[in-house]
Amino acid sequence: MHNVTVVGAGLAGCEAAWQLARRGVPVSLIEMKPKRYTPAHHSPYMAELVCSNSFRGDRLENAPGLLKEELRRLDSLILSCADATRVDAGGALAVDRDRFAQLVTARIDAHPLITVLTEEVTHIPAGDCVIASGPLTAGALAEDIVRFLGGHHTLFFFDAAAPLVSAASVDMACAYWGSRFGKGGDDYVNCPMTKEQYLLFHDALCSAQEAPVHGFEDKSVFEGCMPIEVMARRGLDALRYGPLKPIGLRDPRSGTGAYAVLQLRRDNAAGSVLNLVGCQTHLTFGEQKRVFSLIPALQNAEFLRFGVMHRNTYLDSPRLLTSQFAVRSDPRVHFAGQMTGVEGYVESAASGLIAGIALARRLHGLPPIYWPVETAHGALASYISHPEVENFQPMNINFGLLPPLETRIKSKPERCAAVSARALAHLAELYADISRDIATGANAAIV
């Protein structure tokens, strides 16, 4: 069995390499870190989380929770490492970002069929490969991808990350521990604001100086990761119906609610680092400190990392890729990760899983897996490969991508639970076939 090259050791690349190796396919996993870093990367480890440490909802009543459960049942490397390094976050799956990246790296390094190479890739490799170089792909590799795809079919949007603060620097006299929107345990530090304090913060946010980002306009942001200052400019109450929503939050000391509440989530297991939930931004570093310090609980906050913004490039995938994440004109080449237009950590992992399984099965002479659109994996695969999709934009998994139930259910929680149950039933029907290719690959590796 000849080697497959996987370019990029992010979430998608690590997942693709893992799925290939599990099926007896030797993998050369190429990563340019730590020789070179993108503007958003800082850690030498694989699977670095450059934005939030949250993988979002973890219940079957929501689409991200369904996708996670499917990944668990498919033996996803990324989900197993996320579960092993989770931190308290109510109904969400959040991780200690450093421990998570270290664990993924350790498991990849320990696999006998995966060889990790540290170098910068400047062109699409010869032979079978998975390109998972991420949405920050630039330079010679980006130029070669454009050439390979016919000189067009690449798009872009802007993404942003939230600041991190030291937990010890938060003024707990002005904050309290509680759940997020009344769900889960006391996993978030809640920073309440009165109406006067909120109006002062909102005014400062709207007028604060932004860092220069070439080509950026408010309309080019990804809606699921919108800078807080862009959201604030959409209306006085936009933040109060978004990340600063006070619903379900009452100060246990007084029993009173607040006009607006900023929430802080643990960013590591020790709880010494906190993430400003929903506060991704591209303000200058000085303005970030000035504006966020207007929130009483953060008046003396120590900022451990400021928010940043970067341009993300993605493909016009419906015109280019099959549901196996293979290039229509050259099926030896697969793409995976955010550059395919799947948005989010678990979505990136899912794309790597689909691409890795598809390539391994083809190399073993097995028929492809056609993921039912009733599953979250199938819905994502259909979305990125359906040529009729117009105005293609990056998309998080959501129940709108899955077909409706045949029977109408009025209750939304019950309806979503039924959609998830249907998805897992379809996945169970595939599982024997998916498991069989692992056995086939193991026998091939022994031979």
Side-chain angles (χ1 to χ4, degrees):
M1 181 67 65
H2 66 274
N3 272 44
V4 166
T5 303
V6 176
V7 179
L11 301 179
C14 288
E15 189 66 61
W18 183 258
Q19 297 300 331
L20 283 158
R22 288 186 72 222
R23 290 161 172 80
V25 179
V27 176
S28 294
L29 177 58
I30 305 178
E31 169 58 52
M32 67 180 185
K33 295 191 309 179
K35 287 186 177 179
R36 183 185 168 197
Y37 290 84
T38 73
H41 290 86
H42 308 284
S43 167
Y45 297 106
M46 303 178 197
E48 179 181 359
L49 305 181
V50 299
C51 294
S52 170
N53 70 318
S54 174
F55 284 60
R56 307 190 338 271
D58 200 30
R59 295 188 173 96
L60 289 177
E61 290 77 15
N62 60 65
L66 170 61
L67 184 56
K68 292 183 191 67
E69 184 58 28
E70 291 183 10
L71 284 165
R72 289 186 182 101
R73 297 188 184 197
L74 293 165
D75 191 26
S76 160
L77 169 69
I78 295 303
L79 254 292
S80 64
C81 291
D83 284 334
T85 58
R86 69 187 304 154
V87 298
D88 294 335
L93 171 59
V95 304
D96 181 317
R97 74 173 70 226
D98 291 331
R99 287 181 57 221
F100 168 76
Q102 290 166 10
L103 182 56
V104 174
T105 302
R107 293 188 67 182
I108 288 289
D109 284 340
H111 201 293
L113 290 181
I114 301 177
T115 301
V116 179
L117 304 174
T118 303
E119 59 186 68
E120 183 177 358
V121 175
T122 57
H123 61 275
I124 294 175
D128 295 292
C129 62
V130 179
I131 308 298
S133 49
L136 297 179
T137 300
L141 178 58
E143 294 173 2
D144 193 56
I145 290 173
V146 171
R147 178 201 57 77
F148 174 75
L149 297 176
H152 55 290
H153 295 307
T154 55
L155 308 169
F156 71 91
F157 68 96
F158 287 91
D159 202 357
L164 303 177
V165 297
S166 163
S169 68
V170 176
D171 186 350
M172 292 305 296
C174 302
Y176 61 92
W177 287 94
S179 62
R180 184 156 177 78
F181 307 146
K183 300 178 181 178
D186 293 342
D187 299 331
Y188 292 79
V189 175
N190 293 286
C191 307
M193 286 177 272
T194 64
K195 182 176 181 178
E196 292 73 20
Q197 291 164 345
Y198 172 79
L199 293 177
L200 178 64
F201 171 73
H202 182 273
D203 182 64
L205 192 60
C206 289
S207 60
Q209 181 182 356
E210 299 174 357
V213 182
H214 180 67
F216 171 73
E217 297 178 5
D218 284 4
K219 64 183 180 181
S220 61
V221 298
F222 171 57
E223 290 287 329
C225 200
M226 183 184 300
I228 189 171
E229 61 273 11
V230 174
M231 186 180 298
R233 288 196 288 266
R234 294 190 171 186
L236 186 60
D237 288 324
L239 299 179
R240 294 182 61 245
Y241 288 94
L244 305 189
K245 183 163 52 178
I247 293 177
L249 296 171
R250 290 189 175 274
D251 190 329
R253 296 165 296 194
S254 63
T256 60
Y259 192 74
V261 177
L262 169 65
Q263 296 199 301
L264 309 178
R265 179 182 58 240
R266 292 178 179 89
D267 202 75
N268 61 356
S272 60
V273 180
L274 299 174
N275 184 297
L276 277 64
V277 177
C279 292
Q280 51 272 4
T281 178
H282 74 295
L283 299 180
T284 64
F285 290 177
E287 289 288 75
Q288 289 183 44
K289 182 172 179 58
R290 179 183 71 84
V291 173
F292 288 115
S293 294
L294 293 173
I295 298 172
L298 300 182
Q299 55 191 316
N300 297 311
E302 176 190 3
F303 286 79
L304 303 177
R305 186 194 75 183
F306 288 103
V308 294
M309 176 170 250
H310 46 267
R311 170 174 164 162
N312 283 355
T313 300
Y314 63 101
L315 305 177
D316 187 11
S317 294
R319 258 59 66 183
L320 297 170
L321 304 182
T322 71
S323 62
Q324 309 296 310
F325 286 79
V327 175
R328 294 179 188 275
S329 60
D330 191 343
R332 71 181 176 85
V333 179
H334 291 69
F335 283 88
Q338 283 185 261
M339 68 190 311
T340 67
V342 298
E343 177 59 28
Y345 295 150
V346 288
E347 291 87 344
S348 292
S351 71
L353 181 142
I354 293 172
I357 291 177
L359 182 47
R361 289 179 67 86
R362 181 168 63 79
L363 292 175
H364 288 308
L366 297 172
I369 293 288
Y370 291 104
W371 303 86
V373 73
E374 290 85 0
T375 66
H377 279 77
L380 284 175
S382 175
Y383 178 70
I384 66 93
S385 64
H386 207 282
E388 284 72 32
V389 173
E390 297 182 2
N391 301 316
F392 182 65
Q393 294 288 325
M395 181 78 75
N396 289 118
I397 187 63
N398 62 82
F399 281 136
L401 294 178
L402 281 70
L405 296 166
E406 294 182 1
T407 302
R408 185 170 179 268
I409 300 176
K410 290 185 178 181
S411 167
K412 182 177 179 180
E414 293 179 7
R415 182 171 65 251
C416 292
V419 170
S420 291
R422 180 187 63 179
L424 296 177
H426 277 281
L427 189 67
E429 294 177 2
L430 284 180
Y431 192 75
D433 199 23
I434 295 173
S435 299
R436 193 178 302 116
D437 70 13
I438 298 174
T440 301
N443 291 333
I446 292 171
V447 173

